[in-house]
Amino acid sequence: MTGADSSARPRRASRPAGAPAPAGRRRPGGGPSWILTVPAVAGAALAVLPLVYLAVRALERGFAFAWDVVADERTGLLLLRSLGLAAAVVAACLVLGVSLAWLTVRTALPGARAWSVLVTLPLAVPSYVAAFAWLSAAPALAGFTGSALALTLVSFPYVYLPVAAALRGTDPAQEEVARSLGHGPVRTFLRVTLPQLRPAAAGGGLLVALYVLSDFGAVSLMRYDTFTRAVFTSYRASFDRTPAAALSAVLVLMTIALVAAEARTRGRAGHARTGTGTARPAVAVRLRGPLRQGALVWCGAVVAASVAFPLGTLGYWLAVGSSATWDPATLADTASTTLGVAAAGATLTTLLALPVGVIAARHRGRVAHLLEQAAYAGHAVPGITVGLSLVFFAVRYAEPLYQELPLLVCAYAVLFLPVAVAATRAAVLQAPPVLEDVARSLGRSPLGVLREVTVPLAAPGVAAGAALTFVVCMKELPATLLLRPTGMDTLATRLWTETGAGSFAAAAPYAAALILLAAVPSYLLGRQRP
């Protein structure tokens, strides 16, 4: 056991005779209470609904037909393309996210607070807007290069935010001890700091991988065939849904494999500080000479490529486009609708994610593992498949919900539940479980512990997850196109409609409004301080 692991492991607390078993402890036989299990099962059931649809559709013509689709040579090529794109984007996002988090949190970087806000703003840029901006400037980027570039520049905040939060919450004492024992700054970072960041980086990398696998807009504009584009093409080309359902099933299996791999990277060490006293802020590392200039150039280049360039492209189309005949009243109404729908989606998603995230952080049993995997299952299923599965469910079993707003809100919850679950789990992991044990020993019920201890301690992280979910709900496209009530438009659907018709200047106001609105919660996320 390393020094980091031993100091982070919570101490055992004695329990008075007759007192209820402490909640939230990771010990054999200590399963989650029904207060958490019942709503977590409800959220997991909603998340796996698309899987039921896929099973029905994929096997309706027999297993042999579905296997022929999966075993086809083109499916293998799509698998390699999708995994290759996801691997490239995740690797690039880890480099960008970890380096920027360290620069803005642990160094005396000039304007660190401003940089921490600016590097979260790419969350407000939809992947299809970034792809359009780069493709319009350099058509030769079409294909793998352009897809990887666009997806990296809008996805790296998924890594930056949890890693920056982990750096702010980590006690620097262990790093100081390592330095006092003769370890240099590089070795201290690799041997002490980086292991403490592993859960946050792995969780962010998983979100990036799932985002890439489920992306439709960027790869479509860049004309790069992945599973999502192939599924969409199959749905549009034929009334036979079986081939597309079989391809979507492969995406689900890839998701399960990724979630399992990420779970193994967490290890068994605790990550909450439980020692005496309060954590001190780390002493900022001073950057001098070339290091200081290089850090500023690095941050400036990332912000320029991910934020300034797309905004400049939209500004160009707004200034010179002759087809920009848009109605301000329509734009305002569309923006208001987008905010309302995204707020409803973020609220439902956060409520469903809270019990799943707490169980995933505090329990290690089979139930916790299955619930977490179920929550992630729907995220890699293409949005159009999630939409069709909910249409299938509504027509068969809940007809009053067909083409109504609640069905669209449920689709957002299915698609983005992992975003909120990851944020909640990371926040709960940082809260010492010994405080929950003390509350139980004082007679608090599981619900009381959750309401008075767990949720208040994890509230900042849960709120950050809700804000992040709000942003991605605003940008969602395929499911919104399919499930929106008749006559309702969001900024994303109007943008896609105008872009598909070749009216780039007419689409620019909706793209600009979408980015500006999404920039507000992105700014608040980047402005977070301990």
Side-chain angles (χ1 to χ4, degrees):
M1 182 184 301
T2 65
D5 292 343
S6 62
S7 65
R9 186 180 298 278
R11 301 171 180 174
R12 292 186 178 274
S14 60
R15 178 166 53 95
R25 294 292 297 275
R26 291 177 173 173
R27 59 183 178 87
S33 68
W34 66 269
I35 293 294
L36 293 172
T37 303
V38 172
V41 170
L46 178 63
V48 300
L49 183 61
L51 305 186
V52 177
Y53 167 79
L54 289 180
V56 171
R57 284 297 192 184
L59 298 176
E60 65 181 352
R61 295 180 60 180
F63 178 80
F65 182 85
W67 177 252
D68 288 340
V69 174
V70 172
D72 186 74
E73 181 180 353
R74 182 170 179 268
T75 304
L77 179 61
L78 290 173
L79 179 64
L80 292 176
R81 283 171 166 259
S82 298
L83 288 177
L85 181 62
V89 174
V90 168
C93 287
L94 286 173
V95 173
L96 290 174
V98 174
S99 63
L100 291 171
W102 188 78
L103 287 173
T104 56
V105 175
R106 286 297 183 88
T107 72
L109 181 71
R113 184 180 293 272
W115 288 118
S116 65
V117 173
L118 291 173
V119 296
T120 62
L121 293 183
L123 289 173
V125 182
S127 64
Y128 42 87
V129 172
F132 162 71
W134 286 98
L135 192 62
S136 63
L141 288 175
F144 176 85
T145 302
S147 300
L149 177 64
L151 289 169
T152 296
L153 292 176
V154 300
S155 301
F156 75 85
Y158 288 117
V159 175
Y160 169 81
L161 287 170
V163 171
L167 282 171
R168 294 185 186 112
T170 300
D171 194 331
Q174 297 177 21
E175 300 171 24
E176 294 170 359
V177 170
R179 294 297 298 272
S180 69
L181 293 176
H183 297 302
V186 175
R187 190 175 182 184
T188 299
F189 177 81
L190 295 177
R191 297 290 299 275
V192 178
T193 308
L194 198 57
Q196 296 181 77
L197 302 180
R198 184 176 61 185
L206 175 63
L207 288 178
V208 171
L210 297 181
Y211 182 85
V212 173
L213 291 178
S214 62
D215 179 76
F216 168 73
V219 294
S220 294
L221 288 178
M222 289 291 181
R223 298 185 294 279
Y224 185 72
D225 280 332
T226 60
F227 269 108
T228 50
R229 192 176 185 218
V231 169
F232 184 79
T233 303
S234 179
Y235 272 124
R236 294 191 61 182
S238 172
F239 288 104
D240 183 7
R241 308 303 190 201
T242 302
L247 293 176
S248 297
V250 177
L251 270 181
V252 173
L253 294 177
M254 293 165 61
T255 300
I256 294 174
L258 285 172
V259 173
E262 188 272 338
R264 291 181 65 88
T265 67
R266 298 179 205 164
R268 304 186 69 88
H271 300 282
R273 182 182 183 276
T274 58
T276 59
T278 58
R280 295 174 291 100
V283 178
V285 177
R286 294 190 175 277
L287 302 175
R288 302 180 184 279
L291 287 179
R292 179 189 177 105
Q293 297 173 2
L296 290 173
V297 170
W298 175 246
C299 294
V302 174
V303 171
S306 59
V307 179
F309 183 78
L311 290 178
T313 302
L314 292 178
Y316 168 80
W317 284 109
L318 284 171
V320 305
S322 59
S323 58
T325 55
W326 50 278
D327 182 9
T330 301
L331 176 62
D333 182 65
T334 305
S336 176
T337 300
T338 302
L339 291 174
V341 174
T347 300
L348 177 62
T349 305
T350 303
L351 291 176
L352 293 176
L354 181 61
V356 179
V358 173
I359 290 175
R362 291 291 189 247
H363 301 277
R364 286 189 176 274
R366 181 177 298 177
V367 172
H369 182 66
L370 290 177
L371 287 175
E372 187 178 11
Q373 282 200 331
Y376 278 95
H379 191 59
V381 179
I384 189 172
T385 304
V386 172
L388 287 172
S389 69
L390 292 179
V391 169
F392 175 81
F393 174 80
V395 170
R396 293 285 185 93
Y397 308 106
E399 190 172 351
L401 293 178
Y402 180 65
Q403 284 195 325
E404 295 294 335
L405 184 60
L407 203 61
L408 177 58
V409 173
C410 288
Y412 289 158
V414 172
L415 287 167
F416 305 122
L417 191 58
V419 176
V421 168
T424 301
R425 187 192 67 206
V428 174
L429 278 174
Q430 295 250 328
V434 68
L435 300 179
E436 300 169 9
D437 298 343
V438 171
R440 288 303 305 273
S441 69
L442 294 175
R444 291 292 190 274
S445 65
L447 180 59
V449 173
L450 181 68
R451 183 180 63 249
E452 299 175 22
V453 180
T454 308
V455 172
L457 288 174
V462 174
L468 191 57
T469 304
F470 177 79
V471 172
V472 293
C473 285
M474 289 182 63
K475 300 189 296 181
E476 203 287 325
L477 179 63
T480 307
L481 286 171
L482 190 64
L483 295 173
R484 56 183 170 156
T486 302
M488 190 195 88
D489 268 319
T490 65
L491 292 171
T493 60
R494 286 300 300 265
L495 168 62
W496 186 260
T497 300
E498 299 292 353
T499 303
S503 304
F504 298 126
Y510 296 97
L514 180 58
I515 292 176
L516 291 175
L517 291 177
V520 175
S522 300
Y523 167 79
L524 295 177
L525 285 170
R527 195 169 175 266
Q528 279 188 334
R529 289 290 176 185

